Amino acid sequence: MALLWSAIAAGLSMGASLMAKGIFKVHLDGVPGAFLLENLGYTFGFVIVIMARQQLFTENTVTAVLPVMHKPTWGNTGLLLRLWGIVLLGNLLGTALGALAFNEMPIFDEATRQAFTDISMKVMENTPGEMFANAVISGWIIATMVWMFPSAGGAKLLVIVMMTWLVALGDLAHIVVGSVEVLYLVFNGSISWHEFLWPFALPTLLGNITGGTLIFALISHAQIRNDMSEAAVAKAKAEKRKQEKRRQREEKENAE
């Protein structure tokens, strides 16, 4: 249950991306460089989710693929699919709650609400094929970001902002952030649930999985496969030495 609640919290937190973009869009209208600054708002949700260690699909789920590729058993595959399913379900529930709150609660003025609608409608201009292609690149960039974290040290925040800002500037599709935007349209009556699923959700989810977990994880696995194999060999040797010492100690005790 902790995993699910963390995923729901992540979905809610990703609403900060739409909120920041909408507010920036209203108040930066006509300002030089407004496009760059407006899209900086996209990074807010990712910063909250990652720094708070919440469970986000395409972020915490990337590294989970590597053990399956190293040891592709039915058991490992089942555990991976369970992880994906719980995190994705929680994220979508959280985004739905966030989008509903943005629509129903008296928080924003009409200009900001219209900005939310304009931002979200831009997502829906893509065809299913474009959604998929954009999501492949988005998934790849987010997976690359995750891979950079161990080496980032104190620059982790900068890495998050830099990589997710790039996703925003490219108008790339992400299943969680995009769900906040598209569900906002569903709840205000601009589009139907069917349109949420197609052309948005299914092509975007497939694209994120393809780019962020399958392609990236395949390359990453090839990169670290030897290290993982060497670690396994070293562990086996250590276990063998341990058993040998235990056997010698038992023989000595029996001789006495």
Side-chain angles (χ1 to χ4, degrees), residues 137-213:
I137 304 303
S138 170
W140 174 270
I141 292 173
I142 298 301
T144 303
M145 175 187 72
V146 174
W147 205 247
M148 292 168 67
F149 284 163
S151 303
K156 185 175 181 179
L157 179 61
L158 178 62
V159 170
I160 298 170
V161 172
M162 179 181 70
M163 300 300 280
T164 56
W165 196 7
L166 180 61
V167 173
L169 292 172
D171 282 330
L172 304 178
H174 187 276
I175 185 60
V176 183
V177 185
S179 290
V180 180
E181 298 166 343
V182 179
L183 287 173
Y184 183 84
L185 297 177
V186 172
F187 291 132
N188 71 13
S190 298
I191 66 171
S192 66
W193 280 100
H194 176 269
E195 290 173 290
F196 167 75
L197 293 173
W198 189 271
F200 169 69
L202 294 178
T204 301
L205 176 61
L206 185 58
N208 282 164
I209 291 174
T210 301
T213 55

Side-chain angles (χ1 to χ4, degrees), residues 6-144:
S6 180
I8 293 173
L12 281 166
S13 298
M14 292 309 293
S17 291
L18 177 60
M19 183 170 71
K21 281 191 70 174
I23 294 172
F24 283 4
K25 184 177 180 66
V26 171
H27 294 282
L28 295 173
D29 187 31
V31 175
F35 172 77
L36 297 175
L37 294 174
E38 175 189 326
N39 281 288
L40 182 62
Y42 185 91
T43 68
F44 282 37
F46 282 96
V47 170
I48 295 170
V49 168
I50 296 172
M51 298 305 288
R53 303 193 180 198
Q54 296 168 349
Q55 295 292 326
L56 178 67
F57 194 80
T58 72
E59 192 256 318
N60 287 346
T61 50
V62 174
T63 50
V65 181
L66 295 176
V68 176
M69 291 187 171
H70 184 66
K71 192 175 181 181
T73 64
W74 286 111
N76 285 343
T77 303
L79 290 173
L80 174 65
L81 293 177
R82 178 179 177 274
L83 171 66
W84 280 4
I86 292 173
V87 173
L88 180 60
L89 174 63
N91 286 171
L92 293 180
L93 288 173
T95 58
L97 290 172
L100 185 62
F102 285 2
N103 266 289
E104 301 299 330
M105 296 180 69
I107 305 171
F108 308 105
D109 57 26
E110 285 305 314
T112 305
R113 290 176 182 274
Q114 186 58 50
F116 291 163
T117 300
D118 293 342
I119 291 168
S120 303
M121 288 301 295
K122 189 173 182 181
V123 176
M124 297 303 293
E125 292 175 359
N126 293 307
T127 66
E130 289 169 339
M131 292 281 194
F132 174 79
N134 288 341
V136 170
I137 304 303
S138 170
W140 174 270
I141 292 173
I142 298 301
T144 303

